[in-house]
């Protein structure tokens, strides 16, 4: 793990100034970590005040970022529209490149926002992803290729995380900041899209009054460009307008965690009472895996809202522990079904991908549960719990890369 240099030179003003001037990207992350650890430090409070004041002096930079947002959104939307060219296979192009274009636009935003960031790794990573997508055969109904294409967005998200963290990928705090950003961006993008739906309906209604049909043109251009632009606009709102201070994702996770706990408990009781079997019901098994993802997201965002001062509600902690415990019980049931289906029907790319993701999430939730219980018993700090959440995340990146590259090769692209 990368050493926090602010903590090393906390009593040396000259050294702190030198760190700030030479490593501004890392300095902001280190300052947040140091403030969490020593909230009463006068030195850290002065730096916080200084940087907050600096933001007000550089407000004009937001206009530059708006320009980049508009430029990136227009370029990304145009790339998506390339599927309409006569020599482009629309189905092949959209399935492979839409996620790369959308997430790539977010990577471009952060690359343009920080001139000191080393751009080589993100750019080379995106180019490598594009090369892989071009080279993967267009084999119809190939399970391994379908799984590779489904996992490619997660590889792109890993590159986005690396860019967002300024290459400081070893810092658990930086990983949690990225998780928070991702949740906030999705929420604000959803709000933007809801507003877009209202605007679309209003536009249709107004033009219909003067007997002009613009639906086809509007859907082909305004809606497409709006859909592609919404994530990068949401990123700008979180990054510049809100100054990365929003905690809406954590609030929503805390609100829904007790509701999801009730739903999951009821679900488990119905499974037991009705004798529902995932051994022969494929849809049931898929639903359980979806449940795992939802619970993992709720737990991660709820935990990500904690701080090292351990001031979170014990009731909320208890709810999260209960939610993770019940979900793990259901997952054990699902894992037994996966083993049964392997023994009964053999190994296929779909079953291997689902099983791997299932085990990966299961282990993560199990580790979170272990540290959560230790935290409740005051045998571990909330920072240890946060580290458990954050330090496991690179395994998802590794698994996604393996599914994109290794799975098609292992099954001969079938």
């Amino acid at each position: 793990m990368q050493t926090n240099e602010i903590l090393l030179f906390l009593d040396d003003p000259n050294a702190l100034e030198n760190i700030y001037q030479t490593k501004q990207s890392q300095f902001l992350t280190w300052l947040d970590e140091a403030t969490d650890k020593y909230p009463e430090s006068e030195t850290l409070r002065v730096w916080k005040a200084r940087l907050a004041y600096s933001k007000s002096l550089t407000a004009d930079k937001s206009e530059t970022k708006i320009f980049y947002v508009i430029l990136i959104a227009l370029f990304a939307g145009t790339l998506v529209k390339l599927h309409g060219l006569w020599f482009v296979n629309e189905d092949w192009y959209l399935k492979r490149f839409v996620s790369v274009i959308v997430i790539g636009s977010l990577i471009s935003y952060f690359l343009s926002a920080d001139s000191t960031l080393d751009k080589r790794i993100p750019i080379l990573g995106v180019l490598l992803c594009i090369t892989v997508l071009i080279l993967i055969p267009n084999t119809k109904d190939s399970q391994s290729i379908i799984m590779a294409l489904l996992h490619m967005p997660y590889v792109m998200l890993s590159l986005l995380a690396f860019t967002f963290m300024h290459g400081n990928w070893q810092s658990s705090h930086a990983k949690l900041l990225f998780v928070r950003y991702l949740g906030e961006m999705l929420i604000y993008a959803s709000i933007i899209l809801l507003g877009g739906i209202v605007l679309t309906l209003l536009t249709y209604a107004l033009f219909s009054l003067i007997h002009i049909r613009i639906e086809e043109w509007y859907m082909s251009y305004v809606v497409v460009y709006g859909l592609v632009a919404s994530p990068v606009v949401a990123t700008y709102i979180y990054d510049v307008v809100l100054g990365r201070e929003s905690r809406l994702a954590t609030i929503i996770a805390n609100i829904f965690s007790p509701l999801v706990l009730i739903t999951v408990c009821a679900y488990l009781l119905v499974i037991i009472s009705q004798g529902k079997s995932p051994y022969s019901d494929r849809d049931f098994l898929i639903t359980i895996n979806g449940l795992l993802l939802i619970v993992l997201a709720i737990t991660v965002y709820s935990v990500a809202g904690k701080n090292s001062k351990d001031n979170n509600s014990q009731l909320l902690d208890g709810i999260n522990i209960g939610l993770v415990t019940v979900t793990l019980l259901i997952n054990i049931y699902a894992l037994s079904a996966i083993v049964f289906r392997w023994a009964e029907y053999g190994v296929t790319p779909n079953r291997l991908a689902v099983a791997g993701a299932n085990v990966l999430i299961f282990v993560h939730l199990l580790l979170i549960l272990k540290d959560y219980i230790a935290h409740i018993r005051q045998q571990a700090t909330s920072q240890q719990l946060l580290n458990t959440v954050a330090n496991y995340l690179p395994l998802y990146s590794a698994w996604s890369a393996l599914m994109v590259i290794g799975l098609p090769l292992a099954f001969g692209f079938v």
Side-chain angles (χ1 to χ4, degrees), residues 35-327:
T35 304
D36 282 344
K37 191 169 184 179
Y38 299 108
E40 303 303 324
S41 171
E42 194 70 27
T43 300
L44 298 177
R45 290 166 63 186
V46 168
W47 271 102
K48 279 281 188 179
R50 171 185 170 180
L51 295 181
Y53 182 71
S54 298
K55 286 183 180 180
S56 65
L57 295 178
T58 58
D60 58 317
K61 290 185 179 180
S62 64
E63 295 182 2
T64 303
K65 287 189 176 182
I66 289 177
F67 171 76
Y68 283 125
V69 167
I70 295 173
L71 191 64
I72 291 169
L74 290 174
F75 184 68
T78 302
L79 288 178
V80 171
K81 290 295 294 179
L82 290 180
H83 72 84
L85 296 177
W86 61 270
F87 58 86
V88 177
N89 184 319
E90 180 177 347
D91 185 61
W92 176 85
Y93 182 81
L94 292 179
K95 285 182 178 179
R96 293 175 183 240
F97 294 104
V98 167
S99 63
V100 173
I101 293 170
V102 173
I103 301 175
S105 68
L106 300 178
I107 294 174
S108 300
Y109 172 86
F110 288 111
L111 289 178
S112 63
D114 189 349
S115 59
T116 65
L117 181 64
D118 187 352
K119 300 175 174 57
R120 290 173 296 179
I121 292 179
I123 292 175
L124 288 175
V126 172
L127 292 176
L128 179 60
C129 288
I130 294 173
T131 302
V132 169
L133 289 173
I134 292 174
L135 294 179
I136 289 179
N138 190 25
T139 305
K140 187 177 180 180
D141 299 326
S142 169
Q143 291 186 12
S144 63
I145 291 177
I146 291 173
M147 287 295 105
L149 296 181
L150 288 175
H151 283 82
M152 180 58 79
Y154 299 102
V155 176
M156 288 294 297
L157 284 176
S158 301
L159 292 172
L160 175 60
F162 184 88
T163 309
F164 179 89
M165 295 185 292
H166 305 284
N168 192 22
W169 58 271
Q170 292 178 315
S171 168
S172 60
H173 186 76
K175 294 171 190 171
L176 287 174
L177 287 178
F178 173 73
V179 169
R180 291 176 185 172
Y181 151 70
L182 200 59
E184 300 292 330
M185 182 271 291
L186 291 174
I187 290 172
Y188 290 110
S190 299
I191 295 173
I192 291 170
L193 291 177
L194 287 174
I197 292 173
V198 174
L199 178 61
T200 299
L201 295 176
L202 178 62
T203 302
Y204 287 176
L206 290 174
F207 277 87
S208 66
L209 292 175
I210 55 177
H211 308 291
I212 296 179
R213 308 285 296 181
I214 65 165
E215 287 86 348
E216 185 176 349
W217 176 87
Y218 195 91
M219 289 293 295
S220 297
Y221 291 94
V222 178
V223 171
V224 169
Y225 276 87
L227 287 171
V228 176
S230 58
V232 71
V233 173
T235 297
Y236 172 81
I237 292 173
Y238 175 73
D239 182 38
V240 177
V241 178
L242 300 176
R244 302 191 180 187
E245 295 297 327
S246 175
R247 294 292 183 269
L248 192 55
T250 295
I251 293 172
I252 291 177
N254 291 340
I255 291 173
F256 276 91
S257 56
L259 302 176
V260 175
L261 175 60
I262 294 172
T263 303
V264 173
C265 288
Y267 188 60
L268 180 60
L269 291 175
V270 171
I271 291 174
I272 296 172
S273 63
Q274 292 190 355
K276 188 71 174 176
S277 172
Y279 296 95
S280 57
D281 191 335
R282 180 185 177 187
D283 292 336
F284 178 69
L285 189 58
I286 293 173
T287 301
I288 290 178
N289 280 275
L291 173 65
L292 275 178
L293 289 173
I294 293 172
V295 172
L296 177 65
I298 289 175
T299 305
V300 166
Y301 281 107
S302 183
V303 171
K306 299 176 73 66
N307 56 55
S308 59
K309 295 172 72 174
D310 296 330
N311 59 354
N312 277 69
S313 167
Q314 291 187 355
L315 175 61
L316 181 60
D317 289 339
I319 290 172
N320 287 333
I321 288 174
L323 180 59
V324 173
T325 301
V326 175
T327 304

